[in-house]
Amino acid sequence: DAGVTQSPTHLIKTRGQQVTLRCSPISGHKSVSWYQQVLGQGPQFIFQYYEKEERGRGNFPDRFSARQFPNYSSELNVNALLLGDSALYLCASSQGQGGYTFGSGTRLTVV
Amino acid sequence: AQSVSQHNHHVILSEAASLELGCNYSYGGTVNLFWYVQYPGQHLQLLLKYFSGDPLVKGIKGFEAEFIKSKFSFNLRKPSVQWSDTAEYFCAVTNAGKSTFGDGTTLTVKP
């Protein structure tokens, strides 16, 4: 069974640019969540989507947005990148309110 | 805002020693509780979860956790650790679609 897949695995962007990260959930999973993880800290919740609707939003600025497609895959968009946006971005999926299965993440470096 | 506190940043044990990792959360309402583990070079994996019912939950690899509502705690335990348990452990709380993770505890088990 394929797990949660994220692309790209690594990305380098310049300050002010925009980035789109992609996530494919496990087949049958309708819920997708996005997290930001910086070194030494736990994952910080950004968004949760369920059945293509936003169900939860963390304390991130409006530069962060996401959407979920009819096939339950998801994209995370970050506009006007700042150096502080450099982090590992994690996607996780679940069938409902159960525990999440995480992907390996996208390492974003902003220079 | 809900928060999760993991008391120990780094724990070092010898093989066969007993393990208890503390986790306290701040939210007073109904929550779902999780422990995740991240082995070196791997992505986050679900160890166990609590939604309701028996406050003592058993997870994979001999781990268990006890939910004590009056103490807002969900401590992780294992009677006898193995070298292969060396990893980072994260406690997480989910409420109304929003998940909050602790900053993690690094466990090093000496052979």
Side-chain angles (χ1 to χ4, degrees):
Chain A
D1 284 343
V4 177
T5 57
Q6 294 186 242
S7 63
T9 55
H10 295 85
L11 201 52
I12 299 175
K13 289 286 190 178
T14 304
R15 277 179 297 175
Q17 285 189 315
Q18 175 264 343
V19 68
T20 298
L21 310 181
R22 295 177 175 81
C23 172
S24 293
I26 289 174
S27 178
H29 284 193
K30 299 180 179 180
S31 176
V32 169
S33 290
W34 287 95
Y35 299 83
Q36 180 195 67
Q37 187 175 23
V38 297
L39 197 63
Q41 295 182 18
Q44 299 294 309
F45 173 74
I46 309 176
F47 288 108
Q48 188 211 10
Y49 277 78
Y50 180 75
E51 287 278 18
K52 295 160 284 181
E53 291 189 3
E54 182 183 302
R55 294 297 182 95
R57 174 185 283 255
N59 296 325
F60 279 80
D62 292 343
R63 299 184 295 108
F64 288 77
S65 63
R67 55 181 175 169
Q68 187 176 33
F69 298 99
N71 66 354
Y72 303 111
S73 67
S74 178
E75 286 182 352
L76 175 70
N77 294 285
V78 187
N79 293 322
L81 284 166
L82 304 173
L83 294 179
D85 295 330
S86 295
L88 180 67
Y89 288 85
L90 297 168
C91 174
S93 73
S94 78
Q95 290 180 309
Q97 66 172 355
Y100 281 93
T101 301
F102 281 82
S104 298
T106 295
R107 174 72 62 186
L108 172 65
T109 302
V110 182
V111 297
Chain B
Q2 68 188 22
S3 64
V4 175
S5 175
Q6 293 185 237
H7 313 301
N8 309 100
H9 183 65
H10 195 178
V11 172
I12 302 173
L13 295 173
S14 297
E15 276 194 313
S18 64
L19 170 72
E20 181 161 3
L21 301 182
C23 172
N24 284 91
Y25 61 95
S26 64
Y27 186 70
T30 301
V31 293
N32 296 327
L33 299 159
F34 306 87
W35 275 97
Y36 289 88
V37 61
Q38 187 166 25
Y39 298 103
Q42 298 186 26
H43 54 267
L44 282 162
Q45 300 173 36
L46 180 66
L47 261 184
L48 46 77
K49 59 188 177 185
Y50 173 80
F51 293 161
S52 64
D54 188 345
L56 185 62
V57 286
K58 296 191 182 298
I60 61 172
K61 303 185 181 184
F63 286 91
E64 65 179 30
E66 184 175 14
F67 170 53
I68 303 179
K69 188 174 182 179
S70 61
K71 294 184 178 180
F72 299 94
S73 71
F74 190 55
N75 292 353
L76 180 71
R77 301 194 292 245
K78 186 171 184 178
S80 177
V81 295
Q82 301 172 327
W83 175 79
S84 58
D85 293 324
T86 294
E88 190 159 17
Y89 293 81
F90 292 93
C91 178
V93 171
T94 298
N95 168 262
K98 183 174 180 178
S99 296
T100 304
F101 278 71
D103 282 337
T105 297
T106 301
L107 172 65
T108 301
V109 180
K110 295 181 177 180

